[in-house]
Amino acid sequence: QQLEGMRTQIEDPYQHLTKLDAIKMLKEKDQHIHTQMESNAEFNINWWVSGESLLACKDPKMAEKEDKESGLVRGGTAVAAVSPVDLMAKVDISGELKADLMKELGDKKVKIRGEALQKVQAILASAKIIQPSLGELPEALKWTLWDSNKNLVVTTLGIISSLATAMGSDCSKFSKAFIPRVLRVLADSKPQVRQAAISCLNAWHAEITLVPFIEQEFISSALATKSPILKMELLTWLEDKLPTAGELPPKLSLIVPHLFSCLEDRSSDVRKKAQIVLSLVMAKVDYNTMLQHADKLKHYQRDADGLNIQYTVSEQY
């Protein structure tokens, strides 16, 4: 027992801390945290309960790996994953987002629009961590997000990514303003533009998880599009995110009919991806819902794939 106690103390030097002690330590390390962020070092702060309270600083990739393996870290129960952004003083940039700048983002001249985007980038780079006060910026960025100049579209996507990172979990307040528009960009014919959109989605996913994407019906609405390129990109993204998504809202069932519709898509790539994503969704949606939508497949599709779909659903459950 003594050896076990010594081992625990070595592995978990913060386990004796109360919550107030942990907060005090965090404040003392605040300056160090700012320095880390300025050097672009990757880190994360997680709160875990072990006895009374525990504060641990972890590399995000290592924390994610431990979460996937056991759901627990060092024998503690996860209370919440706190982003460093959410714990620091945030800058109000609303005063710098003036009407003239918003007007420039919608200017007819490409040069002026590009310069306006550079100004927004400079504001975000200077502030680093910001309050969720964006004024008219979300509405103004839609013009450059759908710009005929693809370089400006990529730049805009980078800004939207930076906004999510700079606001932390507060970016959820703007999910309706940005995410549906970013999803529409997945239909673009340029691979570099679509990749920038995927990177943008990843940045938002890192802050708000997949739950709002499902709860606010962003995914189901996007899958309803006729664009095979968009469906292919989105299904590929879902294939990556669903396995580690954990529990999702009941509205996940809303994407089921769209997945079955993708099984009938003219694009073979879309059909293949839809089958993969469908198998992942089966693990999270009830059996009757899956069969109900499977029965709505067209006759020729049921004859060709229906038995396989029924079999897969039965095997899954």
Side-chain angles (χ1 to χ4, degrees), residues 119-312:
K119 292 177 183 178
V120 176
Q121 287 178 318
I123 291 172
L124 294 176
S126 176
K128 294 183 175 65
I129 310 300
I130 65 172
Q131 295 180 10
S133 302
L134 303 181
E136 299 299 320
L137 183 62
E139 187 66 18
L141 285 177
K142 79 175 184 181
W143 300 112
T144 51
L145 189 59
W146 300 330
D147 203 290
S148 58
N149 186 304
K150 300 304 180 182
N151 291 329
L152 297 190
V153 175
V154 172
T155 300
T156 303
L157 289 165
I159 289 174
I160 296 174
S161 299
S162 298
L163 286 171
T165 304
M167 287 188 287
S169 61
D170 284 339
C171 71
S172 61
K173 299 177 181 179
F174 299 96
S175 58
K176 289 184 179 180
F178 287 120
I179 294 178
R181 295 171 182 173
V182 174
L183 287 170
R184 286 183 60 181
V185 179
L186 293 178
D188 197 278
S189 60
K190 300 290 185 180
Q192 64 269 28
V193 175
R194 298 198 302 272
Q195 183 55 52
I198 290 295
S199 297
C200 185
L201 291 176
N202 288 339
W204 281 76
H205 175 270
E207 300 299 336
I208 63 177
T209 75
L210 194 59
V211 173
F213 285 81
I214 302 298
E215 186 67 38
Q216 298 184 53
E217 303 179 26
F218 300 146
I219 300 297
S220 56
S221 297
L223 286 175
T225 183
K226 295 182 179 180
S227 169
I229 297 177
L230 187 154
K231 287 186 282 190
M232 180 63 185
E233 292 286 355
L234 183 52
L235 290 171
T236 302
W237 188 77
L238 287 172
E239 179 186 1
D240 177 55
K241 302 303 180 186
L242 280 172
T244 57
E247 186 176 354
L248 292 173
K251 283 190 175 182
L252 179 63
S253 63
L254 295 178
I255 77 170
V256 173
H258 298 297
L259 291 177
F260 279 125
S261 178
C262 288
L263 292 176
E264 302 173 327
D265 197 272
R266 292 183 178 181
S267 169
S268 60
D269 290 334
V270 171
R271 294 196 300 271
K272 291 176 182 178
K273 283 296 179 182
Q275 290 178 7
I276 296 173
V277 174
L278 189 61
S279 67
L280 296 173
V281 172
M282 284 180 186
K284 302 176 184 294
V285 176
D286 68 90
Y287 177 78
N288 290 331
T289 298
M290 298 299 299
L291 289 183
Q292 176 185 356
H293 290 293
D295 287 340
K296 295 179 182 179
L297 288 171
K298 293 179 181 179
H299 181 69
Y300 72 86
Q301 181 66 26
R302 288 203 306 272
D303 289 342
D305 300 320
L307 290 177
N308 182 55
I309 291 170
Q310 297 284 343
Y311 173 78
T312 303

Side-chain angles (χ1 to χ4, degrees), residues 18-36:
T18 65
K19 190 170 183 178
L20 291 177
D21 290 334
I23 292 174
K24 181 179 179 181
M25 177 180 288
L26 181 62
K27 290 181 179 179
E28 292 174 351
K29 292 181 177 293
D30 183 64
Q31 184 59 44
H32 175 66
I33 290 173
H34 278 288
T35 302
Q36 291 275 45

